[in-house]
Amino acid sequence: MAEQVKLFGMWASPYSRRVELALKLKGIQYEYIEEDLSNKSPLLLKYNPVHKKIPVLVHNGKPIVESQVILEYIDETWKNNPILPQHPYDRAMARFWANFIEEKFMRTPWRAYVGTKEEQEQAREEGFELLKMLENELNGKDFFGGETIGYVDIFGFSLAVWHGVVREVFGVDLITENKFPVFLKWSRKFNEIDVVNECRPPVEKHIAYMRARIEAFKSATK
Amino acid sequence: MAEQVKLFGMWASPYSRRVELALKLKGIQYEYIEEDLSNKSPLLLKYNPVHKKIPVLVHNGKPIVESQVILEYIDETWKNNPILPQHPYDRAMARFWANFIEEKFMRTPWRAYVGTKEEQEQAREEGFELLKMLENELNGKDFFGGETIGYVDIFGFSLAVWHGVVREVFGVDLITENKFPVFLKWSRKFNEIDVVNECRPPVEKHIAYMRARIEAFKSATK
């Protein structure tokens, strides 16, 4: 039986983009289905009745949800071009740093740009400290995964994309060369990879989308 | 070289208790170090400089942190008595339900017992809906892992322990036989297992600890 792989995603979602990146790194053919999150399809609700969220990977009719769970599934199912390292300790470290990016950078980065001056200051200081930790982890390596990109780099994908877009949207660059040379070197090298470029959301559209989201965020918190 | 396994934990923490349960299920000998969370040891801060939290597993001198990461490490390092299922799809489902318990039950269960009457009502309704989902997943099986306990059961450990203690503390039983027969059957069967009993915090001490925490929570939110 031919493999049937479908991905339900949303073009600007870092969670579905990282699944696409993993599929492309493995060379897996898949059908992509774009979801309108303001009007979710019956299929999405059927495949993810608990959380009703993208991304959903459907492999031979069976749904897998949550990007971290999907990435582990992909790596266990298609063994070529491993995403996670082989040794249990290295795997644990990769999961640790992936969780770190997920927890520390995916939830409240807005505070560094919007809110009162004091809130911005505080969020920036915190962000700098966290980025320093990532820099230390990256130091001396091309990628988090070593010589090639791996699990942590796939999570870092959102950071690399986000950094460029946020700089455009706010006209402020918090991640400067003199502060974070290692991160920026990684980001440049990462952004040169073909499959990474294939997975990046179109820049202009992404900037417009971010501007609209920030406006919505600002009016909601007024 | 003899294996050296140390666990830095805290007796009432469900996160460190679940690591102990996994170690005992595998029959791994380990040294347990109790941490005073109000005065963390230099070793804990050295081994977990990022989060400064328990549990930390130290295997032959190398630290692994975060209970989920530790459980995966244990299962990959000691292959006997597997905790996760073997097939990638079953593994994905186990990780999904473990995350479900983690997200939905480990963070804000207090609201169902404290707060205004309306807040309690709402939190209870939400809790019932989530427990129903767990019941559906358990239905027809002895354990989440099938015939023996596995990854999801280890996460459910906190629910099984918590249910009994919370019932005593508040004098209210929200998880009743007529509402959740499947969950209660699982909980009883689970609580009969020897290693589970070895890992349970002492009941009276646990109740006293919970009472003190709830008082602290109430004064902090006044």
Side-chain angles (χ1 to χ4, degrees):
Chain A
M1 189 179 74
E3 297 260 40
Q4 200 196 46
V5 181
K6 292 183 185 185
L7 176 66
F8 291 76
M10 187 272 183
W11 71 273
S13 160
Y15 304 100
S16 80
R17 288 288 177 173
R18 71 166 70 130
V19 173
E20 288 199 81
L21 180 54
L23 290 168
K24 282 180 196 282
L25 283 169
K26 296 267 185 184
I28 300 161
Q29 299 294 316
Y30 64 96
E31 180 191 342
Y32 177 78
I33 299 121
E34 173 76 11
E35 277 288 328
D36 174 0
L37 297 186
S38 63
N39 181 22
K40 294 172 183 174
S41 75
L43 265 183
L44 176 65
L45 302 178
K46 175 188 149 195
Y47 284 136
N48 190 0
V50 172
H51 302 302
K52 306 178 175 72
K53 285 182 182 165
I54 54 102
V56 177
L57 186 80
V58 184
H59 183 206
N60 296 333
K62 286 175 155 184
I64 302 111
V65 312
E66 294 178 21
S67 67
Q68 283 186 306
V69 175
I70 296 172
L71 291 186
E72 297 256 4
Y73 177 82
I74 288 173
D75 209 33
E76 289 173 354
T77 302
W78 294 276
K79 306 276 188 192
N80 65 308
N81 303 343
I83 292 171
L84 276 159
Q86 293 309 295
H87 190 276
Y89 189 76
D90 299 333
R91 294 166 75 83
M93 288 301 100
R95 291 185 180 118
F96 171 83
W97 285 109
N99 288 346
F100 177 84
I101 293 174
E102 193 69 7
E103 264 179 43
K104 304 294 187 189
F105 292 102
M106 297 297 285
R107 307 224 169 122
T108 47
W110 302 127
R111 287 187 306 121
Y113 297 95
V114 294
T116 66
K117 206 166 173 173
E118 268 171 26
E119 283 168 343
Q120 286 188 30
E121 284 283 316
Q122 201 200 341
R124 285 174 188 194
E125 281 309 314
E126 283 168 20
F128 289 157
E129 211 173 297
L130 297 168
L131 266 177
K132 260 298 166 235
M133 291 179 186
L134 270 191
E135 282 237 328
N136 289 342
E137 175 59 19
L138 255 177
N139 209 359
K141 293 188 286 194
D142 280 349
F143 297 104
F144 289 99
E147 286 170 23
T148 53
I149 72 176
Y151 196 64
V152 184
D153 299 279
I154 293 174
F155 281 76
F157 182 28
S158 0
L159 287 181
V161 168
W162 168 86
H163 171 228
V165 172
V166 164
R167 188 181 50 209
E168 291 306 312
V169 168
F170 292 102
V172 181
D173 195 358
L174 296 183
I175 307 178
T176 55
E177 196 68 48
N178 66 341
K179 261 204 167 85
F180 301 106
V182 181
F183 176 84
L184 288 174
K185 193 178 143 220
W186 165 79
S187 178
R188 273 191 298 271
K189 245 185 131 68
F190 186 75
N191 280 320
E192 279 165 13
I193 297 170
D194 285 346
V195 283
V196 169
N197 280 314
E198 285 173 31
C199 291
R200 189 194 320 282
V203 177
E204 291 307 318
K205 194 177 165 192
H206 202 187
I207 291 172
Y209 174 81
M210 286 279 252
R211 287 206 168 107
R213 279 202 62 192
I214 288 156
E215 286 311 313
F217 177 84
K218 278 183 179 167
S219 9
T221 52
K222 247 174 202 161
Chain B
M1 190 181 70
E3 297 259 41
Q4 200 197 47
V5 181
K6 293 182 186 188
L7 176 65
F8 290 76
M10 187 271 182
W11 71 274
S13 159
Y15 304 100
S16 80
R17 289 288 176 173
R18 73 167 67 131
V19 174
E20 287 198 81
L21 181 54
L23 290 168
K24 282 180 195 283
L25 282 169
K26 296 267 185 183
I28 300 161
Q29 298 295 316
Y30 63 97
E31 181 191 343
Y32 177 77
I33 298 120
E34 174 76 10
E35 277 288 329
D36 173 0
L37 297 186
S38 63
N39 181 23
K40 295 172 184 175
S41 74
L43 265 182
L44 176 65
L45 302 178
K46 175 189 148 193
Y47 284 136
N48 190 358
V50 173
H51 301 303
K52 306 178 177 69
K53 284 183 182 165
I54 54 101
V56 177
L57 186 80
V58 184
H59 183 205
N60 295 334
K62 286 176 155 183
I64 302 112
V65 312
E66 293 179 20
S67 68
Q68 284 186 309
V69 175
I70 296 172
L71 291 186
E72 298 256 4
Y73 177 81
I74 289 173
D75 209 33
E76 288 174 354
T77 302
W78 294 276
K79 305 277 189 192
N80 65 308
N81 303 343
I83 293 171
L84 276 159
Q86 295 308 295
H87 189 276
Y89 189 75
D90 300 332
R91 293 166 75 83
M93 289 300 100
R95 290 184 180 116
F96 171 83
W97 286 109
N99 288 346
F100 178 83
I101 292 174
E102 194 69 8
E103 263 180 44
K104 304 294 187 190
F105 292 102
M106 298 297 286
R107 306 223 170 123
T108 48
W110 302 125
R111 288 187 305 120
Y113 297 95
V114 294
T116 67
K117 206 165 173 175
E118 267 171 27
E119 282 168 344
Q120 286 188 31
E121 285 283 318
Q122 201 199 339
R124 285 174 188 194
E125 281 309 314
E126 282 168 21
F128 289 158
E129 212 173 295
L130 297 168
L131 266 177
K132 260 297 167 240
M133 290 179 186
L134 271 192
E135 283 238 327
N136 290 342
E137 175 57 20
L138 256 177
N139 210 359
K141 293 188 286 194
D142 280 350
F143 298 104
F144 289 99
E147 285 169 24
T148 53
I149 71 176
Y151 195 66
V152 185
D153 300 278
I154 293 174
F155 281 76
F157 182 30
S158 2
L159 287 182
V161 168
W162 169 85
H163 170 228
V165 172
V166 164
R167 188 182 50 209
E168 291 306 312
V169 169
F170 293 101
V172 180
D173 195 357
L174 295 182
I175 307 178
T176 56
E177 196 68 48
N178 66 342
K179 260 202 166 87
F180 302 105
V182 181
F183 175 84
L184 287 175
K185 193 177 143 221
W186 165 80
S187 178
R188 272 190 298 271
K189 246 185 130 67
F190 186 74
N191 280 320
E192 279 165 13
I193 296 170
D194 284 346
V195 283
V196 169
N197 279 313
E198 286 173 31
C199 291
R200 188 195 322 283
V203 177
E204 291 307 317
K205 193 178 165 192
H206 202 188
I207 290 173
Y209 174 81
M210 285 280 250
R211 287 208 168 107
R213 280 202 62 192
I214 288 155
E215 285 312 313
F217 177 82
K218 278 183 177 169
S219 9
T221 52
K222 247 174 203 160

